[in-house]
Amino acid sequence: MTKIKLCGLTRPEDIAAANALQPEYIGFVFAAKSKRYVSREIAAALKAQLSPQIQAVGVFVNEAPETVAGLLNDGILDLAQLHGQEDETYIQRLRKLTNKPLIQAVRVTDAASLANAQKSPADLILLDSGAGGTGTAFDWTLLEKFERPYFLAGGLDPDTVGNAVKRLHPYAVDVSSGIETAGKKDPAKMAAFVAAVRKNDK
């Protein structure tokens, strides 16, 4: 079954919509330059409102391992998603500070980038077209012989995700801009996205 991650949630009403839909994951963005940035305090308040069946993922870009581990170990996050230039040494440092699962985001440009993703020491990988939240897709034909389970991100919305699920059968799909209207999470689009995944996940 393809799992669902609704990313970039920032408001109590976003959490309420997610609780009604019950995706497997939601995401909080801790990259300061992102328009979806949330502070530790906001994330903690939102996590307190989140259904216990949904796991909270923190998205980080080259953040200090101690900061990431603190959010994980304090129960504000269940997983960390590394979206910068974090390398194997960084992941090893982080693993010494926490035992929570780690997701490494990989920008897919060619077969070589997928080879790097295959070797990632992270627990899970996320395949994207570039900087998170841009709403653009990469060439999915590159994935035809890729065997490691992955989160698929980039260019997904309620109209495209059904085809992605039927064609690729990813471990999970990740969406942010594709469920927004005027820069805010749209409950109707969130519901349509989840419905499209579940309808096509046969």
Side-chain angles (χ1 to χ4, degrees):
M1 186 185 81
T2 297
K3 300 179 186 300
I4 300 168
K5 176 166 167 267
L6 306 178
C7 200
L9 277 56
T10 61
R11 306 172 299 164
E13 50 264 51
D14 300 342
I15 299 296
N19 286 343
L21 296 168
Q22 289 290 302
E24 284 75 18
Y25 307 95
I26 60 92
F28 297 134
V29 177
F30 291 90
K33 293 182 179 180
S34 172
K35 63 183 179 182
R36 304 178 184 92
Y37 168 78
V38 294
S39 65
R40 177 190 175 95
E41 292 73 25
I42 291 174
L46 294 175
K47 179 65 181 329
Q49 300 167 36
L50 185 67
S51 167
Q53 284 75 41
I54 303 172
Q55 293 190 292
V57 180
V59 179
F60 300 92
V61 178
N62 303 323
E63 184 59 77
E66 293 77 12
T67 300
V68 178
L71 285 154
L72 290 164
N73 294 337
D74 289 346
I76 298 171
L77 300 174
D78 301 298
L79 303 89
Q81 179 177 316
L82 310 175
H83 233 289
Q85 285 74 51
E86 299 90 355
D87 57 13
E88 185 171 350
T89 300
Y90 178 100
I91 291 174
Q92 289 173 351
R93 286 179 59 197
L94 187 51
R95 287 199 191 282
K96 291 179 180 178
L97 300 171
T98 183
N99 61 1
K100 296 294 183 70
L102 306 177
I103 306 168
Q104 185 165 33
V106 178
R107 181 183 180 187
V108 178
T109 55
D110 52 24
S113 59
L114 279 178
N116 289 334
Q118 189 75 46
K119 295 182 290 186
S120 169
D123 300 284
L124 295 160
I125 56 171
L126 179 144
L127 304 179
D128 201 350
S129 57
T134 60
T136 56
F138 61 90
D139 181 3
W140 291 348
T141 62
L142 293 168
L143 297 174
E144 289 174 355
K145 297 181 180 179
F146 190 73
E147 297 179 351
R148 181 172 178 175
Y150 58 89
F151 284 75
L152 179 68
L156 298 178
D157 61 33
D159 295 325
T160 61
V161 72
N163 179 52
V165 169
K166 283 195 293 187
R167 177 177 169 186
L168 301 171
H169 306 289
Y171 167 79
V173 287
D174 184 303
V175 64
S176 187
S177 61
I179 51 171
E180 292 177 350
T181 299
K184 300 292 185 183
K185 291 294 180 280
D186 183 325
K189 288 184 177 180
M190 293 169 73
F193 185 91
V194 170
V197 174
R198 292 174 176 162
K199 176 183 177 182
N200 290 281
D201 187 23
K202 305 298 184 184

